[in-house]
Amino acid sequence: MEELISKEELYQTIFKRKSIRKYHQDKLSGDQLQSIMDFLNEAKALDSEINFEAQIVDSDQVKSLIPIKAPHYLQFFSEEKGDYLLNAGFILQQLDLYLAANNLGSCWFGMAKPKKEIIADSDLEYVITLVFGRAAEDNHRDSIEDFERKTLSEIKSGSDYYDLLEAARLAPSATNGQPWYFKVGAKQIHVFQHQPNFIKKFFYEKMNRIDMGITLSHLWLAAEEHGYKFKFEKYSYDPALVEGYNYLGTVKI
Ligand SMILES: Cc1cc2nc3c(=O)[nH]c(=O)nc-3n(C[C@H](O)[C@H](O)[C@H](O)COP(=O)(O)O)c2cc1C
């Protein structure tokens, strides 16, 4: 299939995207919705052995304590195997960038739950929702200074691969928690996930894993853009220790 958008364009969008929570309520066309599904089905997976499916529904199919009123809700379901939450974050973040690159708004919606019938209807496990539509607020950031993020020195040690880590740094995350840490080695970057305390664990365990997939997708796009390889693996031992964080895996570049 012809590429719906270049990886370079997705990469460039990392530096201007933002979460959109105000939408025009008119629906996108059938063709636009189809392109969105086509893009998702062609997106790169971290683990292509894990099946997933998505459906686009209206607000009446969604429950949430703190709603976001949008014309469309994409509910993502996955086979519950391997690191499926990581894989889901990795895949769906490409869609978040695709939507922003096409001048549409989108927002990850971890607070949402599908209606019971929808969950019962699917053989796969419900993972998360992404809302989208025509933005009724400014859709892009003007500069990197407009991102509220930790500094690079707070999230990494080692001096190489600035471009890769800068893209990873700007990734969105649930409640902007940014649960990642990177330790740079020779031709590899070890990736760590913040260990939530006992109270936060209940809510954040699932979201943080999705966040890690999101940051890995930014790292992958940056690797593509700057001519590096990208192979994500997990060593059977911890290659390094970072206090307060758990080892997640290693990107070989
Ligand atoms: C896994 C995940 C879940 C999220 N859930 C919600 C949500 O339920 N409601 C909401 O308003 N924003 C949600 N967000 C959006 C984040 O709050 C937002 O990405 C973060 O504050 C960074 O801001 P930015 O995306 O504008 O750069 C979620 C983001 C992620 C990655």
Side-chain angles (χ1 to χ4, degrees):
M1 194 177 116
E2 208 184 306
E3 256 193 344
L4 284 161
I5 189 169
S6 69
K7 291 198 193 84
E8 180 177 2
E9 221 176 315
L10 292 181
Y11 171 73
Q12 298 300 347
T13 307
I14 288 174
F15 304 94
K16 44 188 185 188
R17 64 152 295 287
K18 66 177 192 177
S19 293
I20 298 298
R21 298 184 179 86
K22 289 195 190 114
Y23 291 91
H24 293 291
Q25 295 307 319
D26 54 314
K27 305 276 184 204
L28 304 185
S29 70
D31 281 354
Q32 277 176 304
L33 295 178
Q34 189 56 52
S35 306
I36 287 167
M37 287 307 246
D38 290 346
F39 175 82
L40 191 63
N41 288 320
E42 292 294 312
K44 182 176 166 69
L46 210 50
D47 182 345
S48 54
E49 304 276 294
I50 302 175
N51 290 329
F52 69 88
E53 66 186 23
Q55 55 180 349
I56 298 172
V57 298
D58 296 343
S59 62
D60 61 347
Q61 302 300 310
V62 180
K63 295 184 296 185
S64 175
L65 283 176
I66 307 173
I68 302 178
K69 182 102 186 74
H72 302 290
Y73 299 74
L74 185 138
Q75 297 170 332
F76 190 94
F77 295 79
S78 171
E79 216 179 340
E80 203 180 347
K81 75 174 193 193
D83 216 331
Y84 71 101
L85 297 173
L86 201 65
N87 193 52
F90 190 88
I91 291 173
L92 214 40
Q93 180 57 14
Q94 293 166 61
L95 184 63
D96 175 74
L97 294 169
Y98 173 80
L99 292 164
N102 282 290
N103 217 16
L104 293 167
S106 69
C107 188
W108 288 86
F109 194 13
M111 295 284 286
K113 290 264 173 303
K115 287 264 167 76
K116 273 204 186 80
E117 311 82 83
I118 292 192
I119 295 184
D121 263 5
S122 178
D123 296 338
L124 303 179
E125 170 86 1
Y126 167 72
V127 178
I128 197 158
T129 295
L130 194 79
V131 304
F132 64 94
R134 258 185 348 104
E137 57 177 303
D138 204 358
N139 201 15
H140 289 145
R141 290 184 162 111
D142 297 329
S143 85
I144 294 201
E145 278 76 60
D146 296 339
F147 283 83
E148 273 178 47
R149 294 294 187 272
K150 294 177 187 170
T151 61
L152 262 187
S153 58
E154 288 174 282
I155 59 156
K156 64 128 190 172
S157 67
S159 51
D160 289 341
Y161 308 121
Y162 167 82
D163 291 314
L164 276 58
L165 296 174
E166 178 65 356
R169 182 180 79 88
L170 296 176
S173 54
T175 58
N176 208 18
Q178 307 162 68
W180 39 74
Y181 192 90
F182 305 95
K183 227 170 181 168
V184 177
K187 293 208 169 161
Q188 56 187 1
I189 301 174
H190 304 304
V191 183
F192 298 82
Q193 177 181 336
H194 186 251
Q195 186 167 14
N197 66 29
F198 184 74
I199 299 160
K200 287 186 171 168
K201 203 172 169 181
F202 180 70
F203 177 68
Y204 284 103
E205 199 160 46
K206 177 180 178 191
M207 291 300 142
N208 281 356
R209 209 41 168 242
I210 297 172
D211 296 339
M212 295 307 295
I214 296 174
T215 197
L216 280 173
S217 75
H218 280 200
L219 221 158
W220 165 64
L221 283 167
E224 287 275 324
E225 175 72 15
H226 295 283
Y228 294 104
K229 291 195 196 109
F230 177 97
K231 193 157 188 265
F232 184 68
E233 283 178 5
K234 185 164 183 165
Y235 288 122
S236 54
Y237 59 94
D238 290 3
L241 292 177
V242 182
E243 206 188 324
Y245 290 78
N246 294 320
Y247 172 60
L248 180 75
T250 298
V251 179
K252 298 198 170 165
I253 40 194

